[in-house]
Amino acid sequence: MVAQPAGDSSTQLNAGLDYQALERFLVWIRPLQQALSLEVDRGFSNLQGRNERFDSFMQRELGTPPQIPLPGDVPPRLLALAKDFADYASLDDAARRRQVTVVRQWLHALRQRLEPSAPMAPPRLKVAQRSSSSAPSTPAAPGLDSPLAQVKGIGPKLAERLASLGLLLVRDLILHYPRDYVDYSALLRIDALVPGETATIVATVRRCHGFTSPRNPNLSIIELQLQDPTGRIKVTRFLAGKRFSNPSYLHGQTRQYPNGATVAVSGLVKSGPYGISFQDPLIEVMESAQAPLRSSRIGRLLPVYPLTEGLTADRFRSLIERVLPSVRLWPEPLPRGRRDARQLLSRDRALVAIHCPESSDQLQQARHRLVFDEFLLLQLGLMQRRAALKQRSAPSLSSSASDRDGLLGRFLTMLPFEFTAAQQRVLAEIESDLNRQEPMARLVQGDVGSGKTVVAVAALLRAIQAGWQGAMMAPTEVLAEQHYRSLCGWMPALHVTVELLTGSTPQKQRRRILADVASGACKILVGTHALLEDPVAFSRLGLVVVDEQHRFGVRQRNRLLGKGLQPHLLTMTATPIPRTLALSLHGDLDVSQIDELPPGRTPIRTAMITGSNRDEAYDLIRDEVDKGQRAYVVLPLVEESEKMDLRSAVDVHRQLADEVFPDLQVGLLHGRLASADKQAVIRAFASGETKVLVSTTVVEVGVDVPEASVMVIDHADRFGLAQLHQLRGRVGRGAAASHCLLINDSRNPLARQRLEVLVRSTDGFEIAEMDLRLRGPGQVLGTRQSGLPDLALASLADDGSVLEEAREEAADILREDPELRDYAVLRRLLDEQRSRVTSAAQLN
């Protein structure tokens, strides 16, 4: 049903929308704009969402606008745009690009029409137009929210190309940072030029000659013989095109470089058969050797931008220079005193310098300021979220020293081992949190086998001892069932009831479990995402434990927390997360680290071999099995793929069972098996009935077999370092010496470099740091995490010190002004950031 028109557009524009109408309008338009941006990012592939494709989503949403007063021309235009998407799947890439661009520009214009006129829309900040020392001065700077099509020199075709890069407004173009710089700032003598490096020389013209190539009449060549006090060099310019072959034109070109003239030449130095020269040189005639350069390119750091088809580097740089005067309008988020205390450039100077740096030093200062701003926003958001959580009241699970004789004390006594010092320290930190009436929000990090789960069980018993219930959520059924079995080994002796709830739980059993949880008869509920479903209602939920928490988004975590009055939260991960990434993802959590392995664990010997030496791995498996041990063989694929030339688990299982180990029981485990079949395979391996287990990464977590002493990982280059470290942790859990063999046939030197890190180190945090540097945060986590920061310039691998600085500043600002009443720009930027995150979460 289409929204009803409400008079002509001019009347509506003056009337504006009331607050509720504006909210409904924004809730409708944000996912549309987000979907269009994602489609651009994915190369107009008609991306597949969780429930439907992009074209179907656009048809439905454009055809059902919110029931609010809209200008009379809007509803029919929306219907027309919705109909256009019916044919989207059959269009070629160029037509899809045009259609997406048209819709993005029209929706942006619609939002501009309606949003600013709303009585409760965020006020636009007026900033005095002060001149920046390094900003180009021009009287007619376009507004930051002006569409690029309105900028002089940008026509409809160019605007369409820019839109394919996600650039619709002047502010988008300014925030399209260079991806690299070519350094023409190094002024050298001729004899100091080094092939392969960029440089600038100032020299005197000794001879200039222009001619048309005898082999190609459409190619003209200008040769300059240059000299400085240290030597001579020949510089050549090539002019491709028939018009350049005109003798009068060539004569005019050569007259620009008369004998004795001083010229500056910049470019990449190359070595050829006739000595050193420049590749594609930039040449400028100077009035004298001391005169300033007029060119915006010669003798400076030249920015290099991400581009699209039909847009040259020079053209893009000229567009940037055209809109740079608009940085004078940019609101400054930090007051002068705070900037001076941290020696930060002003925001407008930093934006100019990132595009037009006068020196390497100025470029570093500009980048530092812009990276600082990204991290500052990130940390302010996390700290405000944490502060809001602390203001809520949580159940106090306080206990006296004598309570160690209760459930928790009996549990610790019945364990066949003593807690390590690290486990005792982390449990004490958790107990301290549980004694308070503000909700605990703590992340426990620990390497594979460090004993995180038993600490979490101790925390759950503290909650039950105080009269509350506990929940433990795991990302996979295999891991949830592993936790359930562990608890079933301990809890009956303590008379604590435990239940398991997953997607595979039969309906009759599910009804009974839900009733027991609601009545309080069930004290600990273990499960997967099934715990998030609405029918799950707790009587008195006091503590939530989330395992492998990086696999859950923030919204999923909060949904489980919402099932109690305000339960305490304990999250765990065996994937070591570098400090910069932990502060970015989990800045709203306190972090504890179990940095000590239980005594008696033998180091795992790791080696890298090629596929041609695969028989060595099988010989090692045979030797270990003869000693009473067991082995894993892990592969990246379940079945053979036409697109990838990789061995699959199904094929390797058949080969091992039929040819290599016909006398042994060889098991097969992968994610496509039914839950009951998975458990049967794992039980057979744990009992020793199966000696060799062929598996995909489903064994990464949740399979604990102390007798397993060999881990063979085929196509190891296909896995991340942190994931390989997790897989390696499935062995070495008993007293026997253990082995991990990485089979790598990749010729990529980077792949070998990554695997050598694993061979060399068993420190999970060192490995994670290297993984972060080599692959980036999204790949390290193995999932597109909804809490992952959207950073345009900052690097979590390289900018850790700036992150720490921004974190200190965020804490200082919030101590002084928790509501950011005196920081209007920061407050607005945070609101916009939250809006983007919400829109992205709705799409995902």
Side-chain angles (χ1 to χ4, degrees):
M1 186 173 179
V2 178
Q4 296 175 356
D8 64 27
S9 58
S10 60
T11 304
Q12 177 58 34
L13 186 59
N14 294 330
L17 298 176
D18 62 26
Y19 179 73
Q20 285 81 11
L22 175 65
E23 281 299 300
R24 289 200 296 274
F25 171 72
L26 292 177
V27 166
W28 170 75
I29 200 171
R30 282 171 185 151
L32 279 167
Q33 292 178 317
Q34 185 75 19
L36 289 160
S37 296
L38 285 172
E39 179 68 1
V40 171
D41 292 344
R42 304 291 169 83
F44 307 94
S45 60
N46 197 19
L47 63 92
Q48 174 66 56
R50 184 172 296 174
N51 299 316
E52 59 185 331
R53 284 201 173 273
F54 166 75
D55 56 351
S56 171
F57 172 80
M58 294 300 297
Q59 265 188 279
R60 177 169 51 78
E61 290 298 312
L62 289 170
T64 55
Q67 295 295 304
I68 59 174
L70 289 171
D73 61 319
V74 170
R77 179 63 171 150
L78 284 171
L79 275 180
L81 292 173
K83 286 180 181 177
D84 287 344
F85 276 98
D87 301 323
Y88 186 82
S90 61
L91 300 178
D92 60 24
D93 286 351
R96 288 184 181 184
R97 179 184 285 109
R98 283 193 295 274
Q99 186 169 329
V100 167
T101 300
V102 166
V103 177
R104 289 183 82 184
Q105 291 174 337
W106 188 84
L107 285 176
H108 175 74
L110 177 63
R111 186 167 179 171
Q112 276 197 316
R113 255 171 100 179
L114 301 182
E115 190 175 6
S117 61
M120 297 191 72
R124 294 196 177 272
L125 297 162
K126 295 182 179 178
V127 180
Q129 292 192 14
R130 62 185 185 280
S131 63
S132 169
S133 61
S134 54
S137 59
T138 198
L144 294 173
D145 289 317
S146 299
L148 288 173
Q150 295 177 9
V151 175
K152 186 178 179 182
I154 300 182
K157 279 192 174 180
L158 182 54
E160 182 180 323
R161 287 186 179 127
L162 293 169
S164 71
L165 290 169
L167 309 178
L168 298 173
L169 311 175
V170 167
R171 72 167 64 245
D172 298 334
L173 194 54
I174 293 172
L175 294 178
H176 192 70
Y177 299 132
R179 62 175 172 81
D180 201 356
Y181 297 84
V182 179
D183 189 359
Y184 291 147
S185 63
L187 186 60
L188 299 176
R189 293 294 195 182
I190 290 174
D191 69 346
L193 295 175
V194 177
E197 295 183 1
T198 54
T200 297
I201 62 169
V202 174
T204 303
V205 177
R206 288 296 170 221
R207 179 171 174 269
C208 180
H209 175 51
F211 60 95
T212 299
S213 169
R215 295 181 180 178
N216 183 353
N218 293 327
L219 179 66
S220 298
I221 302 166
I222 296 176
E223 286 185 349
L224 293 170
Q225 295 287 347
L226 305 178
Q227 180 177 350
D228 75 0
T230 67
R232 294 189 176 191
I233 190 171
K234 183 173 77 172
V235 175
T236 306
R237 281 187 63 201
F238 295 96
L239 307 173
K242 192 170 184 178
R243 62 192 180 95
F244 299 124
S245 303
N246 184 297
S248 60
Y249 176 85
L250 267 178
H251 181 64
Q253 289 293 302
T254 58
R255 287 180 59 188
Q256 293 183 36
Y257 310 108
N259 291 352
T262 301
V263 295
V265 181
S266 288
L268 177 68
V269 181
K270 65 175 184 177
S271 180
Y274 303 105
I276 284 179
S277 186
F278 284 91
Q279 180 175 312
D280 299 325
L282 305 171
I283 307 172
E284 179 181 324
V285 179
M286 305 172 64
E287 292 179 10
S288 69
Q290 288 74 39
L293 292 164
R294 295 185 300 273
S295 170
S296 62
R297 300 173 65 186
I298 288 181
R300 58 167 274 210
L301 289 164
L302 192 68
V304 179
Y305 294 91
L307 299 173
T308 188
E309 186 181 353
L311 194 58
T312 65
D314 283 344
R315 181 77 185 277
F316 194 85
R317 279 189 283 265
S318 70
L319 295 179
I320 291 285
E321 289 171 6
R322 193 165 294 161
V323 299
L324 268 187
S326 299
V327 300
R328 295 176 298 170
L329 308 174
W330 209 284
E332 172 59 66
L334 288 174
R336 178 76 177 264
R338 288 194 173 275
R339 296 202 310 270
D340 289 348
R342 301 236 175 232
Q343 297 183 317
L344 297 172
L345 290 181
S346 63
R347 176 84 186 185
D348 56 352
R349 286 187 62 200
L351 286 168
V352 170
I354 201 75
H355 292 289
C356 301
E358 295 174 359
S359 65
S360 296
D361 184 58
Q362 190 192 57
L363 173 60
Q364 289 306 313
Q365 291 181 46
R367 188 180 180 282
H368 182 91
R369 170 62 206 268
L370 298 174
V371 167
F372 181 90
D373 282 3
E374 289 186 1
F375 281 143
L376 180 66
L377 271 183
L378 178 68
Q379 293 300 316
L380 283 171
L382 289 168
M383 288 180 180
Q384 283 191 331
R385 194 161 74 195
R386 181 66 195 276
L389 182 66
K390 284 190 171 184
Q391 288 174 0
R392 301 177 189 172
S393 180
S396 173
L397 309 182
S398 59
S399 64
S400 63
S402 62
D403 285 340
R404 282 289 180 133
D405 299 328
L407 277 178
L408 179 54
R410 284 155 50 202
F411 171 66
L412 296 175
T413 302
M414 65 187 281
L415 290 175
F417 51 83
E418 294 279 336
F419 267 20
T420 63
Q423 286 174 306
Q424 291 174 6
R425 183 187 71 247
V426 171
L427 180 57
E429 290 169 350
I430 293 169
E431 288 188 295
S432 175
D433 287 347
L434 297 179
N435 284 335
R436 301 192 186 102
Q437 288 194 337
E438 63 185 42
M440 173 176 73
R442 184 168 292 278
L443 168 67
V444 176
Q445 291 194 94
D447 226 331
V448 177
S450 60
K452 297 176 301 301
T453 303
V454 73
V455 171
V457 172
L460 286 168
L461 289 173
R462 267 292 304 271
I464 294 160
Q465 189 169 286
W468 296 80
Q469 294 167 288
M472 180 179 276
M473 185 165 72
T476 65
E477 289 193 6
V478 168
L479 184 53
E481 287 159 354
Q482 175 77 31
H483 286 319
Y484 176 67
R485 284 197 303 276
S486 297
L487 287 166
C488 286
W490 292 319
M491 295 302 110
L494 300 172
H495 306 292
V496 173
T497 50
V498 185
E499 295 289 358
L500 174 67
L501 184 66
T502 69
S504 303
T505 305
Q507 195 60 39
K508 184 177 179 182
Q509 188 177 345
R510 178 184 294 268
R511 283 195 294 269
R512 178 188 61 77
I513 292 171
L514 292 177
D516 287 349
V517 170
S519 68
C522 171
K523 297 302 182 185
I524 300 177
L525 181 62
V526 182
T528 55
H529 294 75
L531 300 189
L532 301 172
E533 295 171 3
D534 291 334
V536 182
F538 290 83
S539 171
R540 299 187 81 210
L541 181 59
L543 174 64
V544 173
V545 176
V546 180
D547 197 8
E548 287 302 313
Q549 77 87 40
H550 64 279
R551 299 193 180 195
F552 295 99
V554 173
R555 291 178 73 221
Q556 291 173 311
R557 194 174 76 193
N558 291 342
R559 190 170 173 188
L560 184 55
L561 286 175
K563 291 184 177 292
L565 295 174
Q566 181 56 63
H568 296 280
L569 172 67
L570 178 65
T571 66
M572 305 187 295
T573 181
T575 301
I577 302 175
R579 177 170 172 76
T580 51
L581 189 52
L583 286 178
S584 301
L585 285 170
H586 314 304
D588 56 335
L589 304 176
D590 295 316
V591 180
S592 294
Q593 188 172 322
I594 301 180
D595 50 7
E596 180 182 356
L597 289 177
R601 296 291 294 271
T602 55
I604 302 167
R605 300 169 189 165
T606 305
M608 180 167 41
I609 63 174
T610 62
S612 59
N613 296 322
R614 197 174 272 109
D615 288 343
E616 292 180 16
Y618 297 155
D619 290 342
L620 177 62
I621 290 174
R622 172 71 70 181
D623 291 344
E624 290 296 307
V625 168
D626 289 345
K627 296 175 187 175
Q629 302 298 116
R630 273 154 253 166
Y632 297 98
V633 178
V634 177
L635 297 108
L637 297 181
V638 177
E639 294 177 334
E640 188 178 355
S641 167
E642 292 180 3
K643 296 181 179 179
M644 291 183 282
D645 185 20
L646 301 176
R647 288 156 56 86
S648 70
V650 171
D651 290 341
V652 170
H653 171 258
R654 188 183 304 115
Q655 180 197 7
L656 295 184
D658 295 346
E659 301 170 20
V660 183
F661 304 119
D663 55 325
L664 300 179
Q665 183 70 31
V666 180
L668 175 63
L669 179 67
H670 54 75
R672 296 182 190 172
L673 293 176
S675 180
D677 294 336
K678 286 180 194 170
Q679 288 311 309
V681 172
I682 292 170
R683 277 195 297 272
F685 187 62
S687 68
E689 178 186 342
T690 296
K691 301 297 184 182
V692 180
L693 181 61
V694 179
S695 175
T696 57
T697 55
V698 73
V699 298
E700 181 184 346
V701 290
V703 180
D704 186 2
V705 179
E707 294 81 10
S709 62
V710 181
M711 168 67 68
V712 176
I713 304 174
D714 215 333
H715 301 295
D717 58 293
R718 293 282 173 164
F719 301 91
L721 281 182
Q723 190 176 34
L724 288 169
H725 182 60
Q726 283 269 51
L727 288 167
R728 177 170 63 178
R730 293 303 103 200
V731 297
R733 305 176 82 85
S738 295
H739 308 266
C740 178
L741 296 182
L742 308 172
I743 299 179
N744 172 40
D745 280 325
S746 171
R747 296 181 181 177
N748 185 338
L750 180 59
R752 186 172 185 85
Q753 180 188 354
R754 287 175 50 243
L755 296 178
E756 283 173 348
V757 172
L758 204 73
V759 172
R760 185 181 68 249
S761 176
T762 57
D763 183 337
F765 286 91
E766 179 189 348
I767 291 166
E769 284 282 1
M770 184 60 70
D771 215 15
L772 178 62
R773 288 185 176 279
L774 295 174
R775 299 198 306 152
Q779 292 295 319
V780 167
L781 293 170
T783 178
R784 183 163 178 82
Q785 163 88 325
S786 62
L788 194 65
D790 183 15
L791 302 173
L793 199 60
S795 163
L796 291 173
D798 300 324
D799 296 317
S801 60
V802 187
L803 174 60
E804 298 280 2
E805 191 181 340
R807 185 171 172 80
E808 290 172 9
E809 188 72 12
D812 196 40
I813 289 173
L814 291 177
R815 269 194 302 271
E816 171 194 295
D817 185 1
E819 302 298 323
L820 298 177
R821 297 184 190 280
D822 297 330
Y823 295 85
V825 177
L826 278 177
R827 194 171 65 246
R828 178 166 62 83
L829 291 172
L830 275 172
D831 288 342
E832 290 173 0
Q833 181 174 272
R834 291 188 187 105
S835 174
R836 284 195 301 272
V837 170
T838 302
S839 298
Q842 286 174 344
L843 273 175
N844 293 330

